Amino acid sequence: MYADKSPKIVSFQVYYIGIVAVSASFYFRQILFVIKSFFFYRNHCVFAPITGTVRRATSSAAMRLVQFCHVGDEGRVRVGVERPEGQGVIDLKAFDPSVPSTMREFLEMGQSGMDCAGRALSSGQCVVPRSDIRLLSPVTGPEKVVCVGMNYRDHCLEQNAPIPEEPIIFSKFPSTITGPYDDIILPEESTEVDWEVELAFVIGRKGKHIKEEDALSYVAGFTVANDVSARDWQMKRNGKQWLLGKTFDTFCPLGPAIVTTAALKDVHNLGIRCLVNGAVVQDSNTSQMIFQTQKLVAWLSRFVTLCPGDVFLSGTPPGVGVFRNPPVYLKRGDVVECQIDEIGSIKNKVV
């Protein structure tokens, strides 16, 4: 038989076990803090690829933001978040009455608006069936519609044109914007109306003289655009200034959603296509862009203040009608579909 342990030995063992337990608890809490910090910064910050600096992102969540109206109530605009796999749209104003009714106003809320959209998406509440709504352009009435010319290498080759050394900037009037499935109105003034599928992005917060490494934090998300163009007015009339040829009503179909950066694997490596009456006329990749999103934001912010809701059209790949032999232009009854992988498609009939 073993003799009973003395009280001193027992007390020492209890003391030792207590020290070990306290130390283990301390280190466990430290490890837990590190893990939580990692996931916080991963979800809420963007890391500059070269400097390693951290900057706050406009949105940290993977979301598809839309602007819509209820069928039969066309005048009541709402901002929503698409649920996955076509499971309807969450009406943000129904979820939180303080949320404004238009996307531009919603974006002006900044991160608080994005956080609200994230909570709404997680809640699964206030869902409206897709059959009960009509999708509008994800942004209406922006302060600016900024366009970039000659921004795809393969599009420059198509024209035997040199690669630009700096972005070529022009604009469309905001009144050109129309919905992702609305009609394109063929104007009587032009006989040479052409298609241009483009990756578009929307500014999420105000900025001037933005650094290139910070530029993506000013972008709310990406969408699909068709830079419809009247080539006769762009290339032959109006002193060959591009504005009038680009800015007829309905010449900027946009949609179907603003897709946040977190929802895209690599926005500068996406398939981009345009189909006319089901036939592929443009087929390229956003990796062909000469000046990527960060460069475009930084470049234009040298000249003007960028504001929430501003829309950028970042250029078109080869395959436009004007450079075909012979040239091909849109006519009434044609259906134009613009597609970008991971973002979606827009489809518009020419009337």
Side-chain angles (χ1 to χ4, degrees), residues 181-196:
Y181 311 115
D182 294 342
D183 293 338
I184 297 169
I185 299 173
L186 203 64
E188 296 292 339
E189 292 81 5
S190 176
T191 58
E192 298 180 359
V193 176
D194 202 351
W195 57 83
E196 290 190 11

Side-chain angles (χ1 to χ4, degrees), residues 132-316:
D132 292 351
I133 67 171
R134 182 169 74 89
L135 283 184
L136 308 174
S137 166
V139 179
T140 46
E143 184 178 286
K144 308 175 195 67
V145 179
V146 179
C147 305
V148 187
M150 307 284 289
N151 198 32
Y152 275 69
R153 292 178 182 84
D154 45 8
H155 184 47
C156 292
L157 292 173
E158 175 184 46
Q159 306 172 58
N160 294 317
I163 302 296
E165 295 183 2
E166 59 189 26
I168 299 172
I169 303 296
F170 62 98
S171 68
K172 298 169 86 81
F173 290 156
S175 55
T176 59
I177 291 178
T178 192
Y181 311 115
D182 294 342
D183 293 338
I184 297 169
I185 299 173
L186 203 64
E188 296 292 339
E189 292 81 5
S190 176
T191 58
E192 298 180 359
V193 176
D194 202 351
W195 57 83
E196 290 190 11
V197 60
E198 306 209 8
L199 172 70
F201 60 88
V202 181
I203 297 299
R205 61 190 181 104
K206 192 173 183 178
K208 182 77 184 290
H209 296 297
I210 299 166
K211 295 180 180 179
E212 192 168 331
E213 60 265 27
D214 296 331
L216 279 181
S217 70
Y218 287 81
V219 175
F222 296 83
T223 192
V224 183
N226 185 352
D227 179 15
V228 183
S229 306
R231 302 300 188 191
D232 38 8
W233 284 93
Q234 177 190 358
M235 298 178 169
K236 305 170 187 175
R237 308 283 298 274
N238 194 42
K240 298 184 180 180
Q241 296 290 320
W242 291 6
L243 178 64
L244 286 184
K246 295 283 188 173
T247 210
F248 283 96
D249 291 347
T250 73
F251 268 26
C252 188
L254 198 66
I258 296 174
V259 182
T260 60
T261 307
L264 301 171
K265 294 177 183 177
D266 181 359
V267 73
H268 298 116
N269 189 21
L270 299 175
I272 179 170
R273 290 169 296 279
C274 179
L275 294 78
V276 176
N277 300 326
V280 176
V281 291
Q282 291 182 277
D283 190 0
S284 186
N285 191 286
T286 57
S287 63
Q288 287 286 319
M289 287 173 62
I290 299 163
F291 305 106
Q292 296 185 342
T293 304
Q294 300 95 312
K295 178 67 174 182
L296 297 175
V297 170
W299 175 261
L300 197 71
S301 73
R302 293 170 57 182
F303 305 94
V304 298
T305 300
L306 302 184
C307 298
D310 286 351
V311 177
F312 278 66
L313 275 60
S314 62
T316 196

Side-chain angles (χ1 to χ4, degrees), residues 63-68 70 78-84 87-96 99 103 106 116-130 133 135:
M63 292 185 292
R64 298 177 60 89
L65 300 167
V66 297
Q67 198 170 229
F68 69 94
H70 292 266
R78 287 286 188 267
V79 177
V81 187
E82 285 187 341
R83 298 190 73 202
Q87 298 177 28
V89 171
I90 295 175
D91 185 339
L92 290 184
K93 196 167 188 66
F95 177 79
D96 182 347
V99 173
M103 186 66 74
F106 170 78
C116 176
R119 290 193 301 271
L121 185 61
S122 298
S123 76
Q125 299 174 7
C126 306
V127 179
V128 184
R130 289 295 297 266
I133 67 171
L135 283 184

